[in-house]
Amino acid sequence: MKRGILLLALGCIANAQAVEYTDVNPAASQISFTYQQLGQRVYGTFGQFEGTLTFDTQRPEAGHARLKIQLASINAGSDDANDTLQRASWFDTATYPVGVYESTSVKALGGNRFRISGHLTIKGTTQPVDVQVLLKELDGIGVFDGEFILKRGDFRIGEGEWAGNSVVSNDINIKFKMVAPQR
């Protein structure tokens, strides 16, 4: 009997530590990027996106994330750059207004670190992308910080005279912070 009560108590303690996160808060979240242009580091952001998240700290392998980015919301530092990035040779936002990342698996790496594997679709091209994520838990809020390198040539971003590395680097460093309240 005492053993049963002890097991029940331990089970309750373990379950008390389980935390679920859903409903990404876009106002508190951020997607940014950096790249090299003519040898200079350039910084930019995407201002409009929505995310859905299902993540249980006790069962991270069952987690799922989906992020939809309005590509026309890009801010690359100037109106001229923003207008250029809307064109067919770059994001072609008239034809492909949204970029989508959808996870296919989550693997716990220890220390609140996770590898989220999934598919990124931009301009009608889908590529596998693995993202390293660190979960910071703060007062009932989950902050998922991550980054990965996007190879713009893999998605036909910057075609024609912009192809290659001579003006704009092929490697684009994407960083994000997704904020979700615990449920």
Side-chain angles (χ1 to χ4, degrees), residues 82-105:
N82 297 342
D83 290 342
T84 298
L85 291 169
Q86 309 301 314
R87 296 181 185 156
S89 59
W90 286 92
F91 284 110
D92 191 5
T93 58
T95 306
Y96 305 101
V98 177
V100 177
Y101 178 82
E102 184 147 11
S103 69
T104 55
S105 68

Side-chain angles (χ1 to χ4, degrees), residues 53-127:
L53 176 67
T54 304
F55 189 85
D56 182 339
T57 57
Q58 292 296 315
R59 296 185 54 235
E61 69 283 352
H64 183 264
R66 181 179 169 107
L67 182 65
K68 292 172 59 177
I69 304 164
Q70 298 298 321
L71 298 174
S73 72
I74 194 167
N75 182 348
S78 73
D79 290 341
D80 185 45
N82 297 342
D83 290 342
T84 298
L85 291 169
Q86 309 301 314
R87 296 181 185 156
S89 59
W90 286 92
F91 284 110
D92 191 5
T93 58
T95 306
Y96 305 101
V98 177
V100 177
Y101 178 82
E102 184 147 11
S103 69
T104 55
S105 68
V106 178
K107 180 177 180 176
L109 303 175
N112 279 346
R113 295 186 179 280
F114 304 90
R115 181 177 62 238
I116 301 176
S117 298
H119 294 104
L120 178 63
T121 302
I122 300 175
K123 285 183 76 174
T125 300
T126 301
Q127 296 286 336

Side-chain angles (χ1 to χ4, degrees), residues 90 150-158 162-164 168-170 172:
W90 286 92
L150 179 137
K151 302 281 189 185
R152 67 181 178 87
D154 290 350
F155 295 92
R156 301 178 295 118
I157 302 169
W162 299 103
V168 176
S169 62
N170 188 47
I172 310 296

Side-chain angles (χ1 to χ4, degrees), residues 32-55:
S32 65
F33 56 90
T34 56
Y35 61 94
Q36 296 288 319
Q37 182 171 340
L38 297 172
Q40 300 295 314
R41 185 172 183 226
V42 178
Y43 172 84
T45 61
F46 287 96
Q48 295 178 1
F49 52 89
E50 60 185 61
T52 57
L53 176 67
T54 304
F55 189 85

